[in-house]
């Protein structure tokens, strides 16, 4: 990920900002450059160790992925007109009430797209 030499040329503030970007805390006192360097060099191996130990994120089982596929199939696909209204809705253009409620219900299609993306990622 990071080499020691590429990290050592950075200032303490740059290292701190890099850690903040990834949500990492320093190892030890944050006033020392070494604390940030150690964190940035060690965290990828720590993550792999956690995965191997079954801590944190876990891959869902086959039955869960099949269930998600069933949910996507149940939602079907929008017609051309529905897809157009979804696009307009995503541009924040709203119909008048009470039709707006039905219009907003079409945003469930966005959830379907996210589910499809999740299934693709889980199948990799």
């Amino acid at each position: 990920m990071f080499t020691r030499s590429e990290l050592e040329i950075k200032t303490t503030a740059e290292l701190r900002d890099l850690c903040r970007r990834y949500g990492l805390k320093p190892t030890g006192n944050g006033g020392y450059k070494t604390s940030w360097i150690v964190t940035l060099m060690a965290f990828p191996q720590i993550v792999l160790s956690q995965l191997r130990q079954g801590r944190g994120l876990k891959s869902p089982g086959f039955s869960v992925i099949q269930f998600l596929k069933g949910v996507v199939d149940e939602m079907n696909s929008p017609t051309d007109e529905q897809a157009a209204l979804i696009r307009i809705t995503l541009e924040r253009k709203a119909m008048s009430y009470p039709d707006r409620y039905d219009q907003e219900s079409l945003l469930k299609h966005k959830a379907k797209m996210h589910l499809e993306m999740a299934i693709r990622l889980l199948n990799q």
Side-chain angles (χ1 to χ4, degrees), residues 8 12 15 29 34 37 43 47 50 61 79 87 93 96 98 100 104 107:
E8 285 183 349
T12 304
L15 293 167
N29 185 335
T34 309
I37 291 173
F43 89 89
V47 169
Q50 291 169 344
T79 64
R87 284 189 213 98
K93 292 185 173 36
S96 58
R100 186 178 299 180
E104 290 172 357
L107 291 180

Side-chain angles (χ1 to χ4, degrees), residues 1-9 37 40-41:
M1 305 270 15
F2 296 105
T3 64
R4 180 169 284 280
S5 56
E6 77 178 299
L7 294 173
E8 285 183 349
I9 61 173
I37 291 173
L40 287 164
M41 291 191 65

Side-chain angles (χ1 to χ4, degrees), residues 75-87:
M75 294 178 83
N76 212 344
S77 296
T79 64
D80 291 342
E81 295 80 11
Q82 290 170 341
L85 188 56
I86 289 168
R87 284 189 213 98

Side-chain angles (χ1 to χ4, degrees), residues 13-113:
E14 289 173 324
L15 293 167
R16 181 193 64 231
D17 291 345
L18 195 55
C19 282
R20 282 186 181 162
R21 180 189 318 166
Y22 299 117
L24 299 169
K25 296 180 180 96
T27 305
N29 185 335
Y32 297 110
K33 193 173 175 177
T34 309
S35 298
W36 300 103
I37 291 173
V38 167
T39 296
L40 287 164
M41 291 191 65
F43 89 89
Q45 289 303 313
I46 292 170
V47 169
L48 296 179
S49 173
Q50 291 169 344
L51 287 173
R52 291 177 188 127
Q53 293 169 6
R55 294 176 44 216
L57 288 176
K58 296 178 183 162
S59 295
F62 179 75
S63 62
V64 172
I65 294 172
Q66 289 303 109
F67 173 77
L68 290 175
K69 286 180 179 179
V71 170
V72 167
D73 288 344
E74 182 85 14
M75 294 178 83
N76 212 344
S77 296
T79 64
D80 291 342
E81 295 80 11
Q82 290 170 341
L85 188 56
I86 289 168
R87 284 189 213 98
I88 289 172
T89 305
L90 291 173
E91 293 173 0
R92 305 226 183 258
K93 292 185 173 36
M95 299 174 75
S96 58
Y97 288 106
D99 293 333
R100 186 178 299 180
Y101 296 116
D102 290 329
Q103 178 190 11
E104 290 172 357
S105 75
L106 285 172
L107 291 180
K108 292 175 187 167
H109 178 70
K110 191 172 182 183
K112 179 187 178 200
M113 292 184 322

